[in-house]
């Protein structure tokens, strides 16, 4: 060895920690050099460098996801975001005004990557808190430093659809969500309940349950939280999957853009179908990832984002129903064929879609008319 360069990657360290680590490295290498120089004929050189890790691929912006993931809602989301932010600015200037409500969404997955360039993205701006339930030995693995892209991509989809929601991250798995147990999932749901979230997105399907998981899901549902769960991607499995099969959850299965179930997708209970095929989710820095992904988990994240957007809009026009019932009512209205259960985002602006499946269609229709008028944009409402 003639030349040694040690790179201190600042993305995964705080500034004080990076400085301390660099000092320790310099001291250790200096001591090592002195010992080696006495026993070597040729000198060797070493250096330490603090720098940021620049990913080889550029990460897709959330605004791009919004345009391509749900192009039918692009103009509506733009108007919604602008109006929501305008209300917040007015509330900040006038003490007697209350800021608009931000829907709280818990994402239970394998954590997120919040380092480097990605830390400055919109996903970071929307995250309010996080908790890891994954242990390696006696050490808790950080929720903000995932070793796989799944949780980051699911969160990105939700944030793209509702750019004004608040995100709460619960890490329960590793890179491919391996090691997730019913008890660990139950603890994450309990944590989400304590955070008073409105929506829980679970892009995980287990083949075993546990009384603690049953109780946690039941408590979440009974408190009015919309618990949106993925069905299994394993068509050959005849086993039930949890928590999608549990009473009160909103289960989601992936289909193509025509509402046809994917070959490996399994529809359980009364699952809503959402297009989860070849969806743009963006690459994630530092971990192997694909721009476009497919699966029930993708459809589940889109459902959670749609649910958050619907709930936020309804709160802005002072609808006070609990999140679960309100979101399910609108989902029913967005399934133009009740037998198919295929949610079409464009149906959000369809009178036929809104009136279908509601107990009080005129009230629902009038409310959404007010929402569309408020957020405007080229929504296709008049079509």
């Amino acid at each position: 060895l003639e030349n040694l360069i040690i790179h201190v990657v600042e993305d995964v360290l705080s500034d004080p920690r990076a400085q301390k680590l660099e000092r320790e490295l310099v001291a250790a290498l200096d001591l090592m050099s002195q010992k080696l120089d006495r026993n070597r004929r040729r000198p060797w050189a070493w250096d330490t460098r603090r720098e940021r890790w620049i990913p080889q691929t550029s990460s897709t912006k959330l605004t791009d996801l919004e345009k391509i993931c749900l192009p039918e809602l692009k103009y509506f989301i733009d108007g919604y975001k602008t109006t929501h932010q305008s209300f917040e600015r007015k509330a900040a200037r006038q003490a007697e005004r209350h800021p608009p409500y931000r829907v709280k969404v818990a994402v239970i997955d394998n954590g997120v990557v919040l380092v480097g360039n990605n830390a400055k993205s919109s996903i970071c701006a929307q995250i309010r808190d996080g908790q890891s339930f994954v242990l390696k030995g006696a050490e808790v693995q950080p929720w903000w430093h995932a070793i796989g892209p799944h949780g980051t991509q699911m969160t990105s989809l939700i944030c793209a659809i509702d750019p004004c929601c608040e995100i709460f991250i619960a890490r329960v798995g590793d890179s491919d969500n391996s090691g997730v147990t019913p008890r660990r999932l139950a603890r994450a749901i309990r944590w989400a309940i304590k955070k008073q979230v409105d929506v829980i997105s679970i892009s995980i399907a287990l083949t075993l349950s546990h009384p603690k998981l049953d109780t946690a899901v039941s408590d979440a549902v009974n408190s009015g939280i919309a618990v949106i769960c993925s069905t299994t991607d394993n068509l050959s499995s005849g086993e039930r999957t949890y928590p999608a099969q549990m009473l009160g959850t909103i289960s989601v299965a992936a289909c193509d853009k025509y509402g046809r179930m994917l070959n490996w997708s399994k529809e359980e209970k009364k699952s809503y179908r959402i297009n989860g095929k070849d969806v743009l989710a963006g690459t994630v820095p530092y971990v192997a990832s694909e721009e476009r992904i497919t699966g029930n988990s993708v459809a589940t994240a889109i459902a959670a984002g749609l649910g958050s957007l619907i709930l936020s809009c309804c709160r802005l026009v002072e609808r006070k129903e609990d999140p679960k019932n309100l979101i399910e009512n609108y989902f029913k209205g967005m399934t133009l064929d009740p037998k198919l259960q295929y949610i079409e985002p464009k149906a959000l602006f369809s009178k036929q879609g809104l009136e279908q499946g509601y107990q009080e269609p005129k009230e629902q229709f009038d409310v959404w008319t007010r929402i569309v008028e408020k957020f405007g944009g080229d929504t296709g409402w008049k079509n």
Side-chain angles (χ1 to χ4, degrees), residues 255-312:
C255 62
D256 63 17
K257 63 181 180 180
Y258 302 107
R260 297 175 301 209
M261 294 292 289
L262 302 184
N263 291 335
W264 40 259
S265 189
K266 183 178 180 181
E267 192 168 32
E268 302 175 66
K269 202 173 66 171
K270 276 194 172 181
S271 304
Y272 289 102
R273 300 182 187 183
I274 291 183
N275 182 16
K277 182 180 180 181
D278 198 28
V279 174
L280 180 73
T283 56
V284 180
Y286 321 115
V287 295
S289 55
E290 300 291 335
E291 275 273 323
R292 293 182 175 274
I293 53 179
T294 297
N296 289 330
S297 59
V298 181
T300 301
I302 292 173
L306 274 172
S308 179
L309 177 65
I310 290 167
L311 180 59
S312 180

Side-chain angles (χ1 to χ4, degrees), residues 26-282:
V26 168
L29 289 169
D30 189 46
L31 181 61
M32 185 187 299
S33 180
Q34 292 175 20
K35 292 180 178 179
L36 288 174
D37 286 346
R38 290 196 294 265
N39 301 317
R40 290 172 62 98
R41 293 181 180 179
R42 290 187 296 177
W44 75 301
W46 57 268
D47 191 16
T48 61
R49 298 176 184 175
R50 286 181 58 187
E51 56 188 336
R52 291 196 175 274
W53 184 343
I54 302 175
Q56 296 297 312
T57 57
S58 58
S59 183
T60 306
K61 296 179 180 178
L62 291 186
T63 50
D64 296 331
L65 298 182
E66 160 208 306
K67 294 173 187 175
I68 301 175
C69 170
L70 292 176
E72 307 96 328
L73 303 187
K74 190 263 185 246
Y75 294 106
F76 182 80
I77 293 173
D78 283 348
Y80 156 76
K81 182 179 179 180
T82 300
T83 304
H84 201 287
Q85 292 175 341
S86 174
F87 285 175
E88 286 187 323
R89 288 193 295 270
K90 289 179 181 178
R93 293 193 299 266
Q94 302 174 25
E96 69 276 8
R97 291 178 66 100
H98 293 290
Y101 184 75
R102 285 182 176 263
V103 175
K104 298 178 180 179
V105 182
V107 182
I108 300 180
D109 212 284
N110 72 336
V112 292
V113 177
L114 286 185
V115 293
N117 296 339
N118 198 46
K120 298 179 181 178
S121 68
S122 297
I123 179 178
C124 183
Q126 290 180 241
I127 292 177
R128 290 295 173 268
D129 200 359
Q131 178 70 46
S132 176
F133 301 90
V134 179
L135 288 174
K136 288 289 180 68
E139 184 178 348
V140 177
Q141 299 301 293
W143 60 268
W144 47 266
H145 193 195
I147 58 176
H150 194 266
T152 307
Q153 290 178 318
M154 299 303 102
T155 304
S156 295
L157 289 172
I158 294 169
C159 291
I161 299 169
D162 183 0
C164 299
C165 70
E166 295 183 342
I167 298 292
F168 294 77
I169 301 294
R171 179 176 177 177
V172 295
D174 292 318
S175 60
D176 57 353
N177 272 328
S178 60
V180 181
T181 64
R183 287 190 176 190
R184 186 184 293 175
L185 189 54
R187 290 175 60 206
I189 293 171
R190 288 282 178 206
W191 176 80
I193 294 172
K194 288 181 180 178
K195 292 297 177 180
Q196 298 182 316
V197 302
D198 303 292
V199 178
I200 298 177
S201 177
I202 307 176
S203 290
I204 297 170
L206 302 178
T207 56
L208 295 173
S209 187
H210 187 277
K212 288 185 180 293
L213 179 58
D214 297 345
T215 304
V217 170
S218 177
D219 288 348
V221 169
N222 290 337
S223 66
I225 298 172
V227 183
I228 303 178
C229 306
S230 172
T231 55
T232 182
D233 283 341
N234 185 1
L235 184 64
S236 63
S237 173
E239 298 175 292
R240 293 165 62 89
T241 55
Y242 305 93
Q245 281 286 301
M246 293 180 174
L247 187 65
T249 62
I250 301 173
S251 62
V252 179
C255 62
D256 63 17
K257 63 181 180 180
Y258 302 107
R260 297 175 301 209
M261 294 292 289
L262 302 184
N263 291 335
W264 40 259
S265 189
K266 183 178 180 181
E267 192 168 32
E268 302 175 66
K269 202 173 66 171
K270 276 194 172 181
S271 304
Y272 289 102
R273 300 182 187 183
I274 291 183
N275 182 16
K277 182 180 180 181
D278 198 28
V279 174
L280 180 73

